[in-house]
Amino acid sequence: MATKPTTFTSMSTLLEKIASDEAIDTAYLWLCKKRQHYHPNADVWQVRRWWHEKKPLLQAQILSGNFQFRELRLIRGEEKSIEWWSSLDALVLKAMTIVLTEHLKLVLSPRCFHLAGNGGLKGAIAYSK
């Protein structure tokens, strides 16, 4: 997936990368790990149970530009509120993150310390000294 970004990358090329088996499978594994302890009624179990059928449909929706995110749910608790994406939305967002992180890696400054691999707060402090 490591390709040097150009000044112009067509939307269809990015969609192809997001919908690729590599990006979707990586995002699926991430989803399974992140939501492995979710409630038995959570939608992640339906995604996992029917993944062999959902994956090609999801890829086709992404490639055709017809994928639509569902609403972001707000779950309010006594001490905090949680914003929650549906499992398929979280999976697509992760696939997008994988592709765009790689695509933009070469054009983003290494001084963007908030990005993974650029040192974080310690890197920013060390740079400022």
Side-chain angles (χ1 to χ4, degrees):
M1 249 199 221
T3 59
K4 186 175 180 179
T6 59
T7 55
F8 176 75
T9 300
S10 72
M11 183 61 77
S12 62
T13 301
L14 287 175
L15 289 176
E16 288 169 6
K17 289 179 181 181
I18 292 166
S20 70
D21 286 335
E22 183 180 358
I24 292 291
D25 290 342
T26 302
Y28 175 73
L29 293 175
W30 168 86
L31 178 75
C32 291
K33 182 177 178 183
K34 284 291 187 182
R35 297 191 176 188
Q36 66 184 340
H37 299 296
Y38 272 39
H39 190 275
N41 292 337
D43 70 336
V44 68
W45 304 112
Q46 287 294 318
V47 171
R48 292 180 69 165
R49 168 68 176 95
W50 300 105
W51 182 239
H52 64 282
E53 292 178 13
K54 288 186 180 284
K55 179 183 173 184
L57 295 173
L58 178 64
Q59 289 174 306
Q61 286 180 330
I62 293 169
L63 287 170
S64 68
N66 290 327
F67 180 80
Q68 292 186 353
F69 289 100
R70 300 174 98 192
E71 68 280 354
L72 179 65
R73 295 187 64 196
L74 178 63
I75 302 169
R76 297 181 193 268
E78 289 183 21
E79 296 182 18
K80 67 178 183 176
S81 295
I82 299 171
E83 295 170 342
W84 183 79
W85 291 103
S86 74
S87 292
L88 281 180
D89 289 354
L91 189 147
V92 171
L93 288 167
K94 184 63 175 181
M96 290 170 60
T97 301
I98 291 166
V99 169
L100 292 175
T101 298
E102 190 63 34
H103 179 74
L104 296 173
K105 186 182 287 184
L106 297 175
V107 296
L108 292 175
S109 170
R111 290 186 226 150
C112 293
F113 297 106
H114 67 289
L115 298 175
N118 286 358
L121 182 59
K122 290 180 183 178
I125 292 170
Y127 181 79
S128 67
K129 289 182 179 181

